[in-house]
Amino acid sequence: MPRVVVDVMPKPEILDPQGKAVLGALPRLGFDGVTDVRQGKRFELVVEGEADGTVSEAVLADVTRMAETLLSNPVIENFAVRVEQDA
Amino acid sequence: MPRVVVDVMPKPEILDPQGKAVLGALPRLGFDGVTDVRQGKRFELVVEGEADGTVSEAVLADVTRMAETLLSNPVIENFAVRVEQDA
């Protein structure tokens, strides 16, 4: 069964307190060299695929609508949909 | 500045209540064809890169240690680190 990944990230202009908290903690743990951190959500959806294991355009369109209506808040978040082949 | 992405997902054997909640909501919104949903976290770290824009092995090793100690809970979560070229 193919897997579709939906990555949801806060829009660049939106303050990301979780990311800032991680960024602030890194030096205390002895890590440097990181100039910004943003935290978002990652969804892995197992969908019904075609016979050859690919994902049809219709299913991808469905997942995009799921991302718009349920998985993200389009006012403050961006999302990206992609098919992930099993490693 | 190159970006390193850390994807943190619950281990397969661990119950994922958030994923189950999303899975349960999909039919009510008229979506079918999704057999499983798992929800995790996605971190985007902006790091100091080499002159040619690539990320050194040392920085990747650092980010892996950040993922182990701060960004994930290795007891219940898996993580994956990868460099993401700006689209």
Side-chain angles (χ1 to χ4, degrees):
Chain A
M1 306 277 280
R3 218 171 25 182
V4 179
V5 172
V6 178
D7 288 323
V8 178
M9 293 300 290
K11 288 188 174 181
E13 65 274 20
I14 299 292
L15 179 67
D16 173 17
Q18 290 176 308
K20 290 290 175 265
V22 171
L23 185 63
L26 290 177
R28 286 200 302 273
L29 294 170
F31 297 115
D32 51 24
V34 177
T35 53
D36 192 25
V37 176
R38 297 186 70 74
Q39 178 172 343
K41 294 173 282 191
R42 170 186 163 98
F43 295 92
E44 290 181 4
L45 290 81
V46 176
V47 297
E48 282 155 16
E50 303 295 296
D52 58 3
T54 58
V55 177
S56 69
E57 285 305 317
V59 169
L60 274 182
D62 250 9
V63 173
T64 301
R65 273 191 310 116
M66 290 175 211
E68 279 160 2
T69 55
L70 180 63
L71 305 181
S72 76
N73 174 350
V75 173
I76 60 169
E77 292 172 327
N78 291 324
F79 66 85
V81 176
R82 70 179 188 283
V83 179
E84 197 163 73
Q85 299 307 336
D86 281 332
Chain B
M1 307 276 280
R3 216 170 25 179
V4 178
V5 172
V6 178
D7 288 324
V8 178
M9 293 300 288
K11 289 188 173 180
E13 65 273 17
I14 298 291
L15 179 66
D16 173 17
Q18 289 177 308
K20 290 290 175 264
V22 171
L23 186 63
L26 289 178
R28 286 200 303 274
L29 293 170
F31 297 115
D32 51 27
V34 177
T35 53
D36 191 26
V37 176
R38 296 186 70 75
Q39 179 172 343
K41 294 173 285 191
R42 171 186 163 100
F43 295 92
E44 290 181 4
L45 290 81
V46 177
V47 296
E48 282 155 17
E50 303 294 298
D52 58 3
T54 59
V55 177
S56 69
E57 286 304 317
V59 168
L60 273 182
D62 250 8
V63 172
T64 301
R65 274 192 308 117
M66 290 175 210
E68 279 161 1
T69 54
L70 180 63
L71 305 181
S72 77
N73 175 349
V75 173
I76 58 169
E77 292 173 327
N78 291 324
F79 67 84
V81 177
R82 70 178 189 282
V83 179
E84 195 164 75
Q85 299 308 336
D86 281 332

